[in-house]
Every structure is written in C-alpha cells, then in structure tokens.
Amino acid sequence: MDNFNDLENVKSYLLERLRGASSLDDISKIKIEFLGKKGFLGKLTSDIGKIPLEQRKNYGIRLNSLKEEIEAQIKVYEQNFKGDVDKSEYTDLYKSLPGRKPPVGHLNIITQAIEEIVEVFAPLGFNRVRYPEVDREYFVFDALNMPENHPARDEWETFFVDYPEDEKLGKLVITPHTSSGQVREMLKGNLPIRMLNISRCGRRQIDISHVPSFYQFEGLVVDENVSTANLIGVLDYFAKKFFGPDRKTRLRPYHFRFTEPSFEVDIDCGVCHGKGCKLCKEGWLELGGSGMVHPNVLRAGGIDPEKYTGFAFGWGVERAFMMKSGTKIDDIRYLFSNDLRFLEQF
Ligand code: DAH
C-alpha cells in the first residue's frame, strides 16, 4: 500500500487486477480491496492529513476523480461477468475490435509525372541530368544568345537573388527555365548529347495556368546531321506516349533567341478536347518551346556549329500533366495546395 504514493499507480494496478479476475467473486474482492474502508482508497483518504496544506485541495480533487474511475471500471467488469455488457461503457481494451490501418501515401503527382517523362524519353537514349536551380545570368541568358540589356530577357520575369555579382558570369538568379542547363551540358564535352534536364524554375507570375515555382523538362540533342525532322519525330513520339495516341499536336513558328528556327508546340486541350474552356480558351494549350539550337549557343558550349547541329525543347511538367487525357485539372494551383482530397485521386 505504501507504494501507492502516486494515484496513477492505483489505477494501473486496478486494471491489472481486473484483467486477472475470472469470476464475479473475484470482482467483489477487488472492490473491497480498492473501495472498502481499509482498502487503497480509504488509506489514501486518511493520508490526506499528511499532504502539505497548499496541495491538499488538489489532492482531494484527484482522489475524488480516481474514486469515480475505479467505480466505473469495476462496474464494467461486474456487468461483463453478469453477462449484460454495455459496450459504450467498455473503456478497457476491446480485444475483438480490428486494428486501425495506418494511412499509406504515394509519391506526389509531380514526382510521378517526372518519372513518367523520364521513362518516355529513356528508350530514345535521353539521359536525365540536373543543373543548379539558382544560377548565374550567363548560363540563363548570355550563353543562350541573350546579351545584357537584350529585351528578350524581359519575358522571363526573373527573380534576382541578393548575392554578390560575379564579374564574368553576372548576377545570381532563380533559373526561369531549364534551358540554362544547355550550355552547362555542352561544356561537359561529351558528344553526342541526348540530355533531359528536369528541375524547378521560378518566375514572377500567378494565374490559373502559371505559378511562381514550377518544373520544366528540357531536351537537348546535339550530334552530326540532326535536323528539324528529328525534332518533329521526337515531339510526336512524346505526345503519343505521354498524352495518348488520340491527342493532336501542332507546331507554330515562334521566336526564341537560342533556337533558329523556333517553334511553339501546342496540344489539343485534355479538359475540353479542342472545344474551348476556362483553362485553354481556344481548344489548344501551349506545351512549350522548341527549335534548332542556334549556332551561337553551340559556340558558347565549345561546339563547332559547322560540324554539329542540334535541337532543343523545354516544357512545363505541371502543364504537361494537366494536359494528359482524363486529367480534369483546370487550375494549376491545385497541384500545390497540398489538399489530400485532391492528391488522393491520383
Ligand atoms: N526556355 C523556354 C521557356 O522557358 C522554352 C524553350 C524554348 C526551350 C525553345 C527550348 C527551346 O529548349 O528550344 O519559355
């Protein structure tokens, strides 16, 4: 009895005793042992005089609630042995209740999309690489044929990083596109190149189809005799594998400083199938840019443009995922809201 300085111990000892009981008789004995005048509770009550005055009130309150708990537990076991079990009062372990399943998650849908893109390009020999997500202006613009003060830079809504400028390579920026990996890949000096650069990009933009932080995947092929026909072949292959054989793509002439000729690749909208909706407006969604690598870019990468040619393309991962058949996502921001009701659907 002297061991029971802590009232909590009385409770756990009670449960231990109750579990060991095998008849209504046992329960009666336990009841006397705990609640009888000379029982644990009686002893604890008479001990109240030894408790320092300032703690006495608190002790009394705890003692009362302990008494109520003991009575309730004993009652449950009594009823159990009598055969009239009221499960709502069954506070002890309920052995026949099935366990709770731990929630099982899955890879985020953007990660799933990245893995799928890698798998689609792998059979063509594309090798996944990653380059800095915060890089120097040189790789982001200059090396891509966009010299300082060129207006084409404006389009990229750049986030500049507050960090000392490098004399040769310029300011530090959050890469607004994965094209910044092109010249880095060329400078590795391994030809031919079949690069797939997938990484996070940042731009000052937000609406239902643009977010400030997003992913792009960039393809780059450099080899002898690479032509626009090869580019179209690869785009077509990707569109059919990733979006499904029934989806349509189109190329529109465009202007990028780092490709010549340049194209914008569109695919018919997966939400409305070309009819026009909130997301696409006119039935087509822009997947991203592409083109034949500009000779100046090859030169920046230390490659002889007389001997080698190449093509490149750079598209948004989230955008591509939203354009897949059967994916009824009409606002890119759902992908970043971390709402399980949304994520669990994929
Ligand atoms: N970097 C461009 C953008 O983010 C997309 C792009 C256009 C990538 C043409 C390319 C390319 O590789 O050849 O808007």
Side-chain angles (χ1 to χ4, degrees):
M1 181 69 214
D2 293 339
N3 299 337
F4 288 109
N5 294 332
D6 187 341
L7 306 188
E8 281 307 304
N9 286 348
V10 179
K11 213 162 80 186
S12 51
Y13 181 55
L14 171 77
L15 286 174
E16 197 185 309
R17 292 295 311 276
L18 286 173
R19 280 190 207 110
S22 49
S23 66
L24 204 53
D25 241 331
D26 287 349
I27 301 292
S28 305
K29 279 183 201 143
I30 293 169
K31 197 170 174 177
I32 294 166
E33 201 181 336
F34 281 80
L35 297 172
K37 271 209 182 93
K38 290 180 183 159
F40 291 139
L41 225 77
K43 174 78 170 61
L44 286 168
T45 311
S46 61
D47 276 353
I48 205 152
K50 294 184 202 153
I51 304 293
L53 211 58
E54 66 277 13
Q55 291 170 19
R56 207 169 282 174
K57 185 172 166 211
N58 201 7
Y59 182 83
I61 292 169
R62 286 185 61 200
L63 204 58
N64 263 339
S65 73
L66 178 68
K67 186 171 176 238
E68 278 167 21
E69 272 185 69
I70 290 175
E71 284 167 350
Q73 289 288 355
I74 288 176
K75 193 171 160 216
V76 169
Y77 275 82
E78 264 173 1
Q79 282 173 337
N80 202 4
F81 280 110
K82 283 183 198 154
D84 53 345
V85 187
D86 176 2
K87 291 198 175 70
S88 68
E89 286 190 57
Y90 211 89
T91 54
D92 196 6
L93 182 70
Y94 192 19
K95 292 186 182 97
S96 60
L97 198 69
R100 276 196 205 129
K101 262 198 205 158
V104 179
H106 61 70
L107 289 176
N108 183 276
I109 47 183
I110 296 173
T111 311
Q112 289 180 38
I114 289 174
E115 288 191 350
E116 202 180 326
I117 291 163
V118 171
E119 273 171 36
V120 170
F121 282 107
L124 301 183
F126 283 84
N127 190 19
R128 185 182 177 188
V129 295
R130 292 190 77 168
Y131 287 112
E133 292 177 354
V134 179
D135 207 350
R136 293 287 173 185
E137 270 178 299
Y138 174 77
F139 290 105
V140 174
F141 299 119
D142 304 66
L144 295 175
N145 204 26
M146 285 181 273
E148 203 183 345
N149 299 325
H150 195 285
R153 290 189 179 208
D154 294 350
E155 206 181 300
W156 275 279
E157 308 270 18
T158 318
F159 283 114
F160 287 93
V161 178
D162 193 8
Y163 195 78
E165 192 171 332
D166 183 280
E167 227 176 89
K168 288 204 190 95
L169 303 177
K171 294 189 196 109
L172 208 53
V173 300
I174 295 177
T175 50
H177 56 180
T178 40
S179 304
S180 52
Q182 286 193 16
V183 169
R184 283 191 172 275
E185 177 75 14
M186 292 176 195
L187 289 174
K188 276 195 203 158
N190 302 325
L191 284 163
I193 292 170
R194 275 167 185 68
M195 169 196 92
L196 187 62
N197 176 27
I198 310 184
S199 72
R200 194 192 273 268
C201 301
R203 295 186 198 178
R204 290 183 289 112
Q205 55 181 23
I206 189 146
D207 62 36
I208 66 163
S209 54
H210 298 89
V211 280
S213 175
F214 57 99
Y215 284 84
Q216 273 194 348
F217 60 110
E218 178 100 7
L220 173 71
V221 170
V222 180
D223 206 341
E224 291 179 41
N225 303 317
V226 176
S227 73
T228 314
N230 300 133
L231 166 64
I232 294 172
V234 168
L235 300 188
D236 214 49
Y237 166 85
F238 174 76
K240 297 231 166 351
K241 281 271 175 201
F242 191 75
F243 297 109
D246 57 328
R247 299 292 292 279
K248 291 193 286 283
T249 53
R250 71 175 183 191
L251 287 188
R252 272 183 293 118
Y254 202 74
H255 175 74
F256 291 106
R257 288 283 299 173
F258 37 98
T259 42
E260 182 56 40
S262 302
F263 311 100
E264 200 116 76
V265 186
D266 294 342
I267 181 156
D268 61 334
C269 176
V271 175
C272 68
H273 295 286
K275 289 190 206 88
C277 68
K278 177 175 142 195
L279 176 70
C280 67
K281 306 205 171 65
E282 285 169 357
W284 292 91
L285 279 167
E286 175 198 321
L287 193 50
S290 71
M292 301 306 292
V293 182
H294 195 287
N296 286 351
V297 177
L298 291 171
R299 279 189 204 103
I303 294 171
D304 179 3
E306 299 298 326
K307 190 166 177 216
Y308 291 96
T309 46
F311 66 79
F313 52 89
W315 303 334
V317 171
E318 296 84 356
R319 226 158 212 284
F321 179 74
M322 287 166 74
M323 288 186 236
K324 269 170 96 80
S325 301
T327 315
K328 302 248 184 283
I329 307 168
D330 60 3
D331 190 329
I332 195 169
R333 290 167 295 193
Y334 282 127
L335 296 173
F336 302 95
S337 62
N338 277 345
D339 187 335
L340 282 180
R341 289 168 305 177
F342 172 76
L343 293 171
E344 278 169 353
Q345 295 173 44
F346 300 95

